[in-house]
Amino acid sequence: MQYFGTDGIRQKADKFTPEFLARIINGLVNYAGNEIKVLIAGDTRESTEWILADLESALETFGIEYSNAGVLPTPAINFCFYEMGFDFAIDVTASHNPYKDNGIKIFERGPKSGIKLSEPGRQTIEESLALEQTYALTSATLRENLHEEAVNLYKNHLLNYINHASLNGLHIGLDCANGATSVLNKTVFEQLGASVQLIHADSTYGTKINHNCGSTHLESLIKLVTENHLDFGAAFDGDGDRCLLVDEQGEIVDGDQILVI
């Protein structure tokens, strides 16, 4: 495929023009029809804000029902669209990449949860993108903002999933990469009883996402944990779908060790 990689479409942000986004929506309509409901959300990079706005216009143009949940971690988007009764979710993110990049991930309904868009769906969108057709886009009207509802829904899901485990007495550090997990920041951990020190947790749209922070740059988290004698630290990437840990000595706990845990 020309555009879809292993994790959606990812490229320089300025390539996500209104016409390019409209072709994506056209492909989605060709795959699933226009009697669908779509939830859109994304990470904190500056381009995400205008890409979400242009997606609203494209969805409006094709007569698709949609809502915008603003800044949300990728796992939250995948969980919430399914629980809220949407047919698809469009996640605007370039994950751990620099802020000048961006991307599109699309989720559809599986038997029990949200899943990545199927091969036929990706192929249909690829065909639409190849046509390079232009569209007369309409201005989006104000749609329901589901950000707060989605954040609370996902927080409750995490707490229920952990099932009343206690972090009482633990002192931990969190690095949110100035990305999507910043909207959850320390609240879940504090509700479980932990004392939390937070760094890089700006949830506003901008240029700071992943810049010398998060799971790809652990130096500041290691410093936070060791200098403050914390029990451990966790660092997320920009869209919150990956995490690395450091122990009380500042040693990195890698993916294999996390899997065993």
Side-chain angles (χ1 to χ4, degrees), residues 199-241:
I199 55 175
H200 308 305
D202 187 347
S203 63
T204 58
Y205 296 114
T207 62
K208 296 189 291 186
I209 187 170
N210 298 318
H211 182 64
N212 293 330
C213 59
S215 60
T216 54
H217 298 279
L218 293 171
E219 298 83 7
S220 57
L221 180 64
I222 291 171
K223 181 178 180 181
L224 178 73
V225 169
T226 55
E227 289 187 354
N228 292 278
H229 308 291
L230 304 182
D231 294 300
F232 71 92
F236 302 95
D237 71 338
D239 72 327
D241 66 355

Side-chain angles (χ1 to χ4, degrees), residues 82-144:
Y82 193 93
E83 293 297 313
M84 290 176 163
F86 289 88
D87 301 298
F88 293 89
I90 299 178
D91 180 8
V92 181
T93 180
S95 191
H96 60 280
N97 285 28
Y99 83 92
K100 290 185 178 180
D101 297 339
N102 218 322
I104 296 286
K105 298 179 182 179
I106 303 177
F107 302 107
E108 63 181 326
R109 296 183 73 84
K112 296 182 179 180
S113 64
I115 59 174
K116 287 183 180 181
L117 185 66
S118 69
E119 177 73 17
R122 296 195 298 271
Q123 186 60 51
T124 304
I125 291 175
E126 286 272 352
E127 292 168 0
S128 178
L129 289 170
L131 293 175
E132 297 189 358
Q133 186 173 348
T134 58
Y135 299 90
L137 296 175
T138 60
S139 298
T141 57
L142 183 62
R143 294 288 179 171
E144 185 177 15

Side-chain angles (χ1 to χ4, degrees), residues 39-190:
L39 180 69
I40 62 174
D43 64 25
T44 60
R45 62 196 72 226
E46 61 178 6
S47 58
T48 296
E49 185 174 22
W50 54 258
I51 290 174
L52 286 173
D54 288 340
L55 276 173
E56 288 184 339
S57 294
L59 290 162
E60 190 96 7
T61 299
F62 285 92
I64 296 175
E65 185 177 348
Y66 66 91
S67 290
N68 190 334
V71 174
L72 283 181
T74 289
I77 296 169
N78 194 357
F79 175 79
C80 290
F81 98 91
Y82 193 93
E83 293 297 313
M84 290 176 163
F86 289 88
D87 301 298
F88 293 89
I90 299 178
D91 180 8
V92 181
T93 180
S95 191
H96 60 280
N97 285 28
Y99 83 92
K100 290 185 178 180
D101 297 339
N102 218 322
I104 296 286
K105 298 179 182 179
I106 303 177
F107 302 107
E108 63 181 326
R109 296 183 73 84
K112 296 182 179 180
S113 64
I115 59 174
K116 287 183 180 181
L117 185 66
S118 69
E119 177 73 17
R122 296 195 298 271
Q123 186 60 51
T124 304
I125 291 175
E126 286 272 352
E127 292 168 0
S128 178
L129 289 170
L131 293 175
E132 297 189 358
Q133 186 173 348
T134 58
Y135 299 90
L137 296 175
T138 60
S139 298
T141 57
L142 183 62
R143 294 288 179 171
E144 185 177 15
N145 186 325
L146 296 183
H147 175 72
E148 291 301 325
E149 182 179 343
V151 168
N152 289 329
L153 180 65
Y154 191 59
K155 282 181 183 178
N156 291 333
H157 164 66
L158 292 177
L159 292 169
N160 290 333
Y161 184 82
I162 295 169
N163 194 23
H164 308 298
S166 174
L167 299 180
N168 287 336
L170 287 178
H171 300 271
I172 64 177
L174 296 179
D175 182 344
C176 296
N178 292 315
T181 57
S182 300
V183 299
L184 294 163
N185 56 59
K186 58 185 180 178
T187 56
V188 171
F189 293 90
E190 287 184 335

